[in-house]
Amino acid sequence: MQVGYARTSTLDQEAGLEAQIRDLRAAGCEEVFAEQVSSVARRDKLEETITFLRKRDTLVVTRLDRLARSTRDLLELRDRIKKKGAQLNVLNLGDTGTATGELVFTVIGAIAQFERTLMLERQREGIAKAMAEGKYKGRPAKLHEKLGEIRALEQQGLTRAQIAHRLGMARSSLYRVLAD
């Protein structure tokens, strides 16, 4: 059986998810598991997909980056799939079951990880430059909005630990807000 797995990183990538599902169905997938979650988050549907696989099944994905976030993750997933007696087919790579296909699979996975690392480095550099120019302030602090509520609870005689617990914040965060 051909089993498909589709993933997009965010909910607003609906068209990308639909395109993957369409391509997986066109490739003959009888069952398709899909999710919209970052590759660094817990991927429940991927786990469900691997659990679903049986001996001689083929897991089909449209591209490597839809399956794994790093070369290590990619190789671990491939090994888990092989241990189940199943195959992996990446539509834009061709056959990954031969020695040459395995080499291409590993090299492309390493290149994908390299590209992601470069992208993250460029992002950090851009943020640092924007901060230096005063254009980037980071995420707005939400805890400071609770300062009035914190002061009111202090007036009622609650301890800082009780205030932190009631407001659902760490004590260290409470002390940081009060110090500012």
Side-chain angles (χ1 to χ4, degrees), residues 5 26 35-36 46 57 68 70 102 128 131 150-151 159 164 179-180:
Y5 173 71
E35 62 188 336
Q36 293 179 294
L46 177 58
D57 283 351
S70 67
E102 181 110 1
M131 287 176 84
I150 292 168
R151 296 284 186 217
T159 67
D180 290 345

Side-chain angles (χ1 to χ4, degrees), residues 83-178:
K83 281 181 183 169
K84 293 202 73 159
Q87 300 284 331
L88 176 63
N89 181 11
V90 182
L91 293 179
N92 71 342
L93 283 185
D95 184 11
T96 59
T98 65
T100 303
E102 181 110 1
L103 173 66
V104 170
F105 172 79
T106 306
V107 170
I108 297 297
I111 291 169
Q113 179 179 342
F114 174 71
E115 284 179 344
R116 176 158 172 71
T117 303
L118 286 179
M119 183 270 305
L120 292 173
E121 285 177 6
R122 286 191 301 269
Q123 181 184 33
R124 282 190 295 273
E125 289 168 1
I127 289 171
K129 181 181 178 206
M131 287 176 84
E133 295 172 358
K135 296 178 182 176
Y136 181 87
K137 306 286 186 223
R139 189 179 86 199
K142 296 289 182 185
L143 295 178
H144 288 22
E145 295 173 5
K146 296 184 178 187
L147 186 57
E149 193 175 354
I150 292 168
R151 296 284 186 217
L153 292 170
E154 276 185 322
Q155 293 294 322
Q156 294 174 16
L158 272 67
T159 67
R160 290 187 173 178
Q162 290 169 325
I163 294 169
H165 181 71
R166 184 174 289 184
L167 296 178
M169 62 174 32
R171 274 192 331 207
S172 59
S173 297
L174 175 69
Y175 282 102
R176 193 170 42 254
V177 169
L178 291 172

